[in-house]
Amino acid sequence: MLKKPLTIAISSVLGLSTVAATGAFAEEAANNNDIREEIVTTGSRISRSELSAPTPLQVLDSVDIELVAQTNIGDLINQLPSAGQPLFNRTNSNFDNNNSGVVNIDYRDLGIARTLTLVNGRRFVAGVPGSSAVDLNAIPSAMIERVEVITGGASAVYGSDAVAGVVNFILKDDFEGVELNTRYQSTTEGDGQETVVDLLLGSNFDNDKGNAVFQISYTDQNAVFSRDRDATAIDAVSSVFFGGEPFEQTTPFLSSFPPQGRFDVSGTGSSADDFTFLPDGTLVDSFFTNGNDAMGRAPNGFNRSAFRTIAIPTERFLLSSNINYNFNDNVTAFFEGTYSNVTTQSRLEPFPLASDDIFTVGSGGLPLQYEDRAGNMINNPFLPQAIIDAATANGVDNIFFTRRLAEFGPRGSGNERQTFRGVIGLEGTIEDTSMRWDVSYNYGQSTQAQFSEGQIDVTSFRNALLSEVDPDTGAIRCVDVFAEADGCVPINIFGFNSVTQDALNYITAEQSRSARVTQSVFQANLTGTLTELPAGEMQFAVGYEYRKETSDARNDALTVRGLNSSNAIASVIGSFDVNEVYAELDIPIVNDGFVDYIGLGLAGRVSDYSTVGNTSTYEARLEVRPTENLTFRGSFARAVRAPNIDELFDPGGQTFAQVTDPCAGVTAATTGVVADNCRSIPEIAQRIADTGAFTLTQSELQGTSGFLGGNPNLEEEEADTYTVGFVYTPDFLPDSLNASLTLDYFDIDVEGAIVALDRTTVLNLCFDSPGLNNPLCSNVRRFDSTSPFAGALDEVDSTNDNIGSIVTSGVDVGFNLDFDLDSWSLPGSLGVSTVYTYLDDYVISTSLPDDAPDVEVGEIGNAEHRWNTSLRYTTDDLMVQLRVRYIGESRIEDQDLSDEDCASLQCFVDEVVYTDLQARYTFEDSPFGENLEVFAGFNNLFDEDAPIIPAGLTDSDTGTETNAGVYDAIGRSYYVGVKVNF
């Protein structure tokens, strides 16, 4: 079917043959429900009798969704040129225990917290604890009527988080009959199989006063493993770490943590003089290599890629419903319900263990001196005599070891996430007026049960390692009598498969996490005609909203204490609520005058948060239509984002990353504020007096404990957003030809952006302040005079602060051309649509002194040029769509490289083009009449390889050797399916 020019004009296509809610849809709605005869489009709460959109509005309908056959609606949206790279999706989250398999939206690449996700114009509960990010796994794709996307700030209309834009999923609410949709998909490599079954049921009831729609959906997506792709089968790393070019791979780059163990007897940390074991149990001098060495010996490191996952297996079960009932001509009750159960399972290599993971000392967790790092392992009764003799000959009292705990099997994180959302409300009209009203209550809850395998109890492992021979029985026992009484089992780490099952059982400490997020929203809205102006009716909308968000994410006791082979990770518990009032005006200024139409839109919102206090936002929109075929539009909005629960209340996760102590090297003669501050600390002054300078030992340099956490004193972010553009639908074309062109410039400027301070920055800001009077100095703690490390850094904590700035701008262009082939004596119609996004500017900076801005434009995920084009052919029985997606040349994240270095190191990947194809055919003479539709297609038809971005670079997702949030890391897939309507 050919699209109406108006529909084309407002639907900036997004690279798909976009069909919005056309006049036919509005007419159908009017016939079934008089209260809904006008449509409210995203970006405004004022009903309009036509789809005029002074704010750029991009629309996808259910046909668009079907024609790309994406199991998760989030994957389709993230392919749009205006979308950024998602923080989480199924192919980039394998190494995130807490969020593996989550799919979210990062519009304009401004961060998942700055895109507001709505369902039927109302908020949806977060799927990532502590944040506002919605997990798109919980959105029922088969239930979607259309998706509306607007760019820029919309906080005046919807409240916090609408900084980059708003994505609104409109669900079907007026359906009769039965629709069954099934699909099977597989890659051409024979993996990654997907099964999708959707059942949609709908019926009117009580003499057509009501309508109920129910949907049941099941999807099963199998894993794709790194070992099954040429680019990822063998461990590799960027050659930049060896003085080479970033996009050259050093391969193989195998891990030096072998399953049989590697044992250092020199105290140097070098692998050249280590011991290891051959598969037959023979003890040999270690010859760890990544490639054939000078003696021709094959590489003997550990290939981690043999265990890693590119695509996480995901199983989903969804139930959803939309029910409405007309009590009379003026009052309708409605209910929306959604339930989802999503299970995911990540997989990665067995745990790598080193002796300094087990033996640490100091309240800050500082590692021991190198020769002491392995406790008293030199007395371990399992230790071969040859290793003892070599260590003794080298004058080393102990040994250092590394070992892959292959006996555990692969690590992995199993997550079960359940989401429930229910909305109940009334809507209606005030008799004999144009006034419309609605009142609703929205409650959502998402829960997470996580279980991670392959982790160890550090304390138990230490007890099991420190063993001795029982002089009475000759048996090997644990040295610690309390541990022995508690069932300690000595562990033998020397050789392949040397760890017994009893020892494994003793040291195993599975990691777990449970989380619960809730959202409660009460809304009351009133809209209608305020007064009659010479140019038409002045429309208004006013309303009140109360919202409460809670998040409770609890880790197991060992994780909280950092005793299960990971740093300490605190549980995060918090909540906030907000009361808000808003008002919106739609003012016609000129109608059928010297121009066809001029209209002004105004909106404002005042909010009172329990956390940041009062905030205000506002918006102004202008629409100028010189003729019926040309519309100019522009808007300005002040948007806000209140800090989320994690940013406010996270007690902090532990890190031992090295920091630079500004006091290092200070002497009695060193001048300046920093030196004065350092000498004001008694322990540092004493060491300077004793040795002449504050010189740090190797162990004091190795690592400093600290926590990276939230800040309850954060303020809201503020953003100024501008859009200006036009919509043109030429009227000089033949009747068989419809065309439209849209062009919109956007500019988003976020100030007071919440960012995490680097711990070295915390130190510098503290010691650069006269008299150590910076509040950040409370985050710095040093060892006191009773410690052998007196004066050295004990802990340095980091926190969030409103010190960031983000500026981005660019142009969105959409073009549609639809024509009927009858005039050419050919059957059917043809549609061509293109959307193009040009990114002109993207800069991230902070207010910190000497902090250079980070220019993101042109980097991977923020290519200057992106476009999608689709060609769709349609007849009565056949529909075929060819879709081409283009991502322009991009460079790696180069914040740590100068422009000259990046140019000389060739920090670029070439442009990438993906082609998708689908055909659908409806059988006229089937047992189901004209309602049996079969379809088949290819995603990534030409099997375009993702650009190689070697491991170790910022833009590389571990296990994929590329940026799997931007590029297709899986490869070509095909699918077949059937859709039946009864």
Side-chain angles (χ1 to χ4, degrees):
M1 295 179 61
L2 296 178
K3 306 187 189 93
K4 304 297 183 184
L6 176 62
T7 300
I8 300 169
I10 63 120
S11 301
S12 298
V13 191
L14 293 174
L16 302 163
S17 295
T18 304
V19 180
T22 63
F25 174 87
E27 181 179 355
E28 180 184 358
N31 291 338
N32 288 284
N33 186 350
D34 291 338
I35 293 174
R36 300 181 181 186
E37 63 184 347
E38 293 185 339
I39 297 172
V40 178
T41 57
T42 304
S44 172
R45 294 190 182 273
I46 295 176
S47 302
R48 290 174 171 85
S49 58
E50 61 179 23
L51 293 179
S52 60
T55 300
L57 177 66
Q58 303 171 335
V59 183
L60 307 173
D61 76 349
S62 57
V63 176
D64 300 319
I65 297 169
E66 290 178 343
L67 282 171
V68 293
Q70 291 291 343
T71 302
N72 190 302
I73 186 63
D75 293 328
L76 170 58
I77 295 174
N78 285 321
Q79 290 175 355
L80 304 177
S82 53
Q85 52 183 322
L87 180 61
F88 305 118
N89 70 3
R90 199 167 73 94
T91 56
N92 72 359
S93 57
N94 186 53
F95 272 71
D96 191 312
N97 284 348
N98 293 339
N99 299 295
S100 58
V102 167
V103 178
N104 52 41
I105 303 170
D106 187 354
Y107 199 59
R108 300 292 186 200
D109 210 39
L110 290 179
I112 60 175
R114 299 184 182 97
T115 300
L116 179 60
T117 301
L118 306 174
V119 173
N120 291 336
R122 301 178 184 91
R123 288 178 179 263
F124 199 91
V125 64
V128 178
S131 79
S132 61
V134 174
D135 182 5
L136 275 297
N137 281 300
I139 304 295
S141 299
M143 191 76 166
I144 295 174
E145 179 71 38
R146 66 185 186 275
V147 184
E148 298 178 348
V149 184
I150 67 167
T151 188
S155 291
V157 177
Y158 296 111
S160 181
D161 306 328
V163 174
V166 178
V167 179
N168 189 11
F169 297 94
I170 310 297
L171 304 185
K172 296 174 181 178
D173 65 351
D174 187 16
F175 175 81
E176 293 184 74
V178 178
E179 181 179 284
L180 176 65
N181 197 329
T182 66
R183 176 168 59 85
Y184 172 81
Q185 181 168 327
S186 175
T187 73
T188 51
E189 297 287 339
D191 55 11
Q193 293 83 0
E194 298 184 13
T195 302
V196 179
V197 180
D198 294 315
L199 179 63
L200 188 65
L201 309 168
S203 177
N204 289 342
F205 60 92
D206 194 13
N207 297 320
D208 293 338
K209 290 183 179 179
N211 178 267
V213 184
F214 297 92
Q215 182 258 351
I216 304 172
S217 178
Y218 173 78
T219 64
D220 186 14
Q221 298 173 284
N222 289 351
V224 176
F225 290 98
S226 303
R227 60 178 178 262
D228 295 326
R229 295 294 184 273
D230 291 341
T232 56
I234 303 294
D235 250 349
V237 73
S238 170
S239 299
V240 74
F241 298 109
F242 307 98
E245 298 178 355
F247 287 101
E248 290 182 351
Q249 284 183 307
T250 294
T251 183
F253 187 76
L254 304 176
S255 169
S256 61
F257 286 64
Q260 73 274 20
R262 184 168 58 83
F263 308 94
D264 181 11
V265 296
S266 67
T268 63
S270 169
S271 62
D273 49 8
D274 292 353
F275 280 87
T276 191
F277 291 86
L278 298 179
D280 63 3
T282 303
L283 181 68
V284 296
D285 289 340
S286 175
F287 56 90
F288 169 73
T289 62
N290 277 309
N292 292 329
D293 65 5
M295 300 175 63
R297 293 177 294 193
N300 67 342
F302 184 82
N303 181 24
R304 295 167 295 182
S305 291
F307 296 86
R308 292 173 173 175
T309 302
I310 293 176
I312 295 171
T314 303
E315 187 176 26
R316 298 193 302 164
F317 176 74
L318 295 96
L319 292 172
S320 55
S321 63
N322 256 346
I323 303 172
N324 59 79
Y325 184 81
N326 296 332
F327 290 109
N328 52 49
D329 291 340
N330 296 318
V331 179
T332 293
F334 60 88
F335 171 78
E336 303 167 13
T338 303
Y339 169 79
S340 69
N341 182 292
V342 182
T343 57
T344 62
Q345 180 65 62
S346 64
R347 277 287 180 265
L348 54 150
E349 66 275 7
F351 190 80
L353 184 74
S355 49
D356 55 0
D357 294 324
I358 301 299
F359 301 101
T360 57
V361 72
S363 62
L366 287 168
L368 288 165
Q369 295 281 1
Y370 183 84
E371 61 270 18
D372 297 326
R373 286 196 292 186
N376 60 353
M377 278 291 294
I378 197 71
N379 299 318
N380 189 295
F382 294 110
L383 185 62
Q385 188 61 45
I387 296 180
I388 297 174
D389 293 344
T392 302
N394 289 330
V396 176
D397 295 332
N398 236 313
I399 63 166
F400 170 70
F401 71 85
T402 62
R403 193 183 193 278
R404 182 77 51 178
L405 300 180
E407 292 89 345
F408 272 71
R411 286 174 291 166
S413 174
N415 276 287
E416 180 180 10
R417 299 181 179 91
Q418 298 187 73
T419 302
F420 166 77
R421 176 180 182 264
V423 181
I424 188 169
L426 297 172
E427 61 182 0
T429 61
I430 299 176
E431 195 169 1
D432 298 328
T433 72
S434 64
M435 301 294 182
R436 299 167 178 269
W437 56 269
D438 67 86
V439 178
S440 64
Y441 175 72
N442 172 1
Y443 177 79
Q445 174 181 289
S446 64
T447 62
Q448 175 192 30
Q450 176 204 305
F451 183 79
S452 298
E453 303 170 315
Q455 307 295 329
I456 66 168
D457 181 330
V458 173
T459 301
S460 295
F461 206 116
R462 183 187 302 118
N463 291 332
L465 277 174
L466 301 181
S467 56
E468 63 185 4
V469 175
D470 187 334
D472 297 327
T473 65
I476 298 176
R477 67 183 183 187
C478 297
V479 172
D480 190 307
V481 294
F482 298 104
E484 179 75 13
D486 197 36
C488 179
V489 179
I491 191 168
N492 178 7
I493 62 170
F494 304 98
F496 289 94
N497 301 313
S498 58
V499 181
T500 66
Q501 187 61 51
D502 287 342
L504 284 178
N505 294 340
Y506 175 67
I507 64 175
T508 295
E510 308 298 1
Q511 193 172 18
S512 64
R513 183 186 196 229
S514 62
R516 180 174 179 265
V517 179
T518 68
Q519 180 186 75
S520 300
V521 184
F522 171 78
Q523 279 187 1
N525 303 291
L526 178 66
T527 182
T529 300
L530 185 63
T531 186
E532 185 75 29
L533 297 177
E537 295 178 345
M538 178 189 292
Q539 300 287 316
F540 79 96
V542 294
Y544 165 78
E545 180 175 312
Y546 170 79
R547 175 165 53 98
K548 182 174 184 179
E549 309 260 3
T550 73
S551 180
D552 187 331
R554 298 176 185 265
N555 296 305
D556 63 85
L558 291 179
T559 299
V560 171
R561 297 166 61 196
L563 296 177
N564 62 351
S565 61
S566 65
N567 294 336
I569 305 174
S571 298
V572 183
I573 303 168
S575 67
F576 69 87
D577 61 15
V578 53
N579 286 277
E580 303 180 278
V581 293
Y582 78 91
E584 185 179 359
L585 287 176
D586 195 359
I587 309 168
I589 300 173
V590 175
N591 197 351
D592 293 328
F594 62 95
V595 295
D596 190 63
Y597 179 78
I598 298 177
L600 177 66
L602 300 172
R605 176 178 289 251
V606 177
S607 307
D608 182 14
Y609 285 86
S610 61
T611 50
V612 298
N614 293 329
T615 67
S616 60
T617 61
Y618 44 87
E619 180 180 2
R621 304 183 297 265
L622 181 65
E623 180 182 1
V624 178
R625 192 164 62 230
T627 69
E628 290 184 357
N629 307 102
L630 178 64
T631 299
F632 294 98
R633 59 192 182 187
S635 68
F636 165 76
R638 166 64 58 86
V640 300
R641 184 182 78 86
N644 61 40
I645 290 172
D646 261 1
E647 292 166 333
L648 289 165
F649 304 120
D650 185 357
Q654 191 176 27
T655 178
F656 288 94
Q658 186 171 332
V659 296
T660 302
D661 190 341
C663 294
V666 170
T667 68
T670 306
T671 60
V673 173
V674 172
D676 292 341
N677 285 332
C678 293
R679 288 189 294 264
S680 71
I681 300 171
E683 290 79 8
I684 294 178
Q686 185 61 52
R687 285 176 63 164
I688 292 174
D690 292 341
T691 63
F694 183 60
T695 304
L696 298 173
T697 65
Q698 180 60 37
S699 62
E700 291 171 337
L701 288 169
Q702 275 183 329
T704 300
S705 176
F707 288 84
L708 312 178
N711 179 1
N713 298 314
L714 288 173
E715 298 177 351
E716 71 277 8
E717 299 178 343
E718 291 187 347
D720 289 338
T721 69
Y722 303 85
T723 65
V724 60
F726 68 85
V727 179
Y728 179 54
T729 56
D731 59 355
F732 57 82
L733 299 174
D735 292 341
S736 62
L737 211 61
N738 288 316
S740 72
L741 175 66
T742 67
L743 185 149
D744 292 287
Y745 170 81
F746 66 88
D747 185 294
I748 304 173
D749 185 350
V750 184
E751 295 297 331
I754 299 169
V755 298
L757 287 171
D758 176 81
R759 294 196 303 149
T760 295
T761 300
V762 170
L763 280 168
N764 291 337
L765 291 175
C766 170
F767 280 84
D768 283 338
S769 62
L772 299 175
N773 60 3
N774 191 306
L776 288 173
C777 291
S778 63
N779 292 359
V780 180
R781 289 170 292 282
R782 294 180 180 271
F783 287 103
D784 62 26
S785 58
T786 64
S787 169
F789 309 116
L793 291 169
D794 180 5
E795 291 187 0
V796 179
D797 298 336
S798 178
T799 187
N800 299 314
D801 210 342
N802 296 93
I803 59 171
S805 172
I806 308 172
V807 176
T808 184
S809 62
V811 176
D812 293 326
V813 179
F815 173 73
N816 255 11
L817 179 64
D818 292 309
F819 49 95
D820 194 333
L821 299 177
D822 287 348
S823 59
W824 296 358
S825 300
L826 295 172
S829 61
L830 196 64
V832 181
S833 60
T834 295
V835 68
Y836 162 72
T837 294
Y838 168 68
L839 187 62
D840 178 60
D841 193 20
Y842 192 143
V843 178
I844 300 174
S845 58
T846 70
S847 57
L848 299 174
D850 303 323
D851 190 13
D854 180 14
V855 179
E856 295 275 335
V857 62
E859 291 184 350
I860 292 171
N862 289 296
E864 284 188 84
H865 307 282
R866 290 181 65 179
W867 53 260
N868 291 356
T869 293
S870 66
L871 176 67
R872 185 182 297 181
Y873 173 73
T874 306
T875 68
D876 290 339
D877 302 321
L878 178 67
M879 182 180 294
V880 180
Q881 176 171 282
L882 181 72
R883 183 174 67 134
V884 179
R885 297 181 284 122
Y886 173 88
I887 303 172
E889 180 188 70
S890 306
R891 68 180 187 275
I892 66 167
E893 165 62 53
D894 59 358
Q895 188 172 7
D896 297 327
L897 298 173
S898 68
D899 292 341
E900 294 80 9
D901 288 340
C902 192
S904 65
L905 292 174
Q906 300 179 12
C907 306
F908 295 93
V909 294
D910 293 334
E911 65 273 7
V912 176
V913 178
Y914 295 114
T915 304
D916 306 323
L917 176 67
Q918 186 186 114
R920 308 180 76 90
Y921 187 82
T922 301
F923 288 92
E924 295 184 0
D925 298 323
S926 74
F928 306 101
E930 297 182 3
N931 296 319
L932 174 62
E933 188 176 28
V934 297
F935 58 92
F938 288 91
N939 290 326
N940 194 357
L941 176 64
F942 299 112
D943 201 18
E944 178 76 19
D945 291 331
I948 296 296
I949 306 171
L953 299 178
T954 301
D955 286 311
S956 180
D957 294 315
T958 305
T960 70
E961 303 296 339
T962 192
N963 187 317
V966 176
Y967 303 108
D968 179 8
I970 297 176
R972 179 173 53 218
S973 63
Y974 66 90
Y975 56 87
V976 294
V978 176
K979 178 181 177 182
V980 183
N981 286 280
F982 301 91

